[in-house]
Amino acid sequence: GRVMEWPDVYCTVDEYSARCLREAMRHIVGTSTLQASTRYIKYDNFDLVSNVNNEDHQKLFDECRDYLRETYNNLIEAGVSKEDAANVLPLGMTSKMVWKINLRALIHFMSKRKCTRAYKEIRKMCKDICTELSNYSEDWKYIVDNYFLIDCERLGYCPEAKSCGYIPKKGEKA
């Protein structure tokens, strides 16, 4: 796998929640990241990532976002610095990061974060990255199709303590 440490992927990951990006940034070996600054950027019109399918629940998300936007803007108008006013910004707000990750680290990232037990937003991010890389070239499409496997597909059994059932745990029958 050492030769896979040489190819790097550089990408801008945008329109995902700060929470999702923080999860991606937990993978630190073979990566470098820059996330949009809450110190210098004014977030007077931020949006929230919502994965709810219920209209009433979405209304609650929207009301909360509007309240936090108003509070943030009121703090800034009152003379509070952007970096201090940013303390009211939620992890669910959309953010952006620039990500450099080597191929070996990206294979590891995909093996963990494409799993059905991973948070759905980070699975969506994985799917989007796979789509973009597959569209980049035939070589990358081959890599995505053959190397970006979740652990259970690669191992032939599920190594997780709590399995989703997609592939049986080691020693269990299908």
Side-chain angles (χ1 to χ4, degrees), residues 9 11 27 99 101-116 118 122-133 140 143-144 147-154:
V9 173
C11 57
H27 296 262
W99 199 20
I101 184 167
N102 71 42
L103 179 56
R104 188 176 191 178
L106 188 56
I107 290 168
H108 174 76
F109 176 82
M110 293 295 179
S111 76
K112 303 297 182 196
R113 301 303 182 144
K114 283 178 60 180
C115 175
T116 60
I122 205 157
R123 289 193 327 258
K124 181 188 179 313
M125 187 178 102
C126 289
K127 182 179 179 189
D128 291 346
I129 291 170
C130 287
T131 298
E132 291 298 319
L133 288 173
W140 276 105
I143 291 168
V144 167
Y147 289 92
F148 291 3
L149 306 174
I150 53 179
D151 280 342
C152 62
E153 290 173 331
R154 184 177 49 82

Side-chain angles (χ1 to χ4, degrees), residues 150-169:
I150 53 179
D151 280 342
C152 62
E153 290 173 331
R154 184 177 49 82
L155 296 170
Y157 63 89
C158 177
E160 296 290 322
K162 294 181 180 179
S163 175
C164 71
Y166 172 61
I167 291 182
K169 293 181 69 57

Side-chain angles (χ1 to χ4, degrees), residues 2-174:
R2 291 274 302 161
V3 295
M4 292 180 184
E5 293 175 11
W6 289 97
D8 285 329
V9 173
Y10 293 83
C11 57
T12 300
V13 182
D14 198 3
E15 298 300 315
Y16 293 93
S17 71
R19 175 185 176 211
C20 179
L21 299 182
R22 284 176 63 178
E23 287 297 314
M25 286 188 273
R26 296 293 174 263
H27 296 262
I28 58 173
V29 174
T31 70
S32 293
T33 58
L34 292 170
Q35 187 174 4
S37 172
T38 56
R39 183 176 185 186
Y40 297 108
I41 299 170
K42 187 174 180 191
Y43 286 95
D44 55 339
N45 199 28
F46 69 85
D47 207 357
L48 288 178
V49 172
S50 169
N51 294 305
V52 298
N53 295 323
N54 179 299
E55 217 173 282
D56 293 332
H57 297 161
Q58 185 59 50
K59 186 176 180 219
L60 290 171
F61 265 88
D62 294 343
E63 288 171 2
C64 180
R65 177 205 57 219
D66 294 345
Y67 175 76
L68 290 171
R69 277 183 186 169
E70 182 181 346
T71 301
Y72 175 81
N73 289 320
N74 288 342
L75 288 167
I76 290 177
E77 286 174 19
V80 174
S81 69
K82 284 185 277 194
E83 63 187 318
D84 287 331
N87 287 331
V88 302
L89 296 173
L91 281 174
M93 75 173 202
T94 55
S95 190
K96 177 193 285 192
M97 81 171 172
V98 176
W99 199 20
K100 180 191 81 69
I101 184 167
N102 71 42
L103 179 56
R104 188 176 191 178
L106 188 56
I107 290 168
H108 174 76
F109 176 82
M110 293 295 179
S111 76
K112 303 297 182 196
R113 301 303 182 144
K114 283 178 60 180
C115 175
T116 60
R117 293 193 31 85
Y119 184 59
K120 56 187 159 189
E121 185 184 6
I122 205 157
R123 289 193 327 258
K124 181 188 179 313
M125 187 178 102
C126 289
K127 182 179 179 189
D128 291 346
I129 291 170
C130 287
T131 298
E132 291 298 319
L133 288 173
S134 291
N135 291 337
Y136 184 75
S137 73
E138 286 299 315
D139 291 333
W140 276 105
K141 181 171 180 11
Y142 179 85
I143 291 168
V144 167
D145 292 344
N146 293 282
Y147 289 92
F148 291 3
L149 306 174
I150 53 179
D151 280 342
C152 62
E153 290 173 331
R154 184 177 49 82
L155 296 170
Y157 63 89
C158 177
E160 296 290 322
K162 294 181 180 179
S163 175
C164 71
Y166 172 61
I167 291 182
K169 293 181 69 57
K170 193 172 189 174
E172 291 180 359
K173 296 192 189 249

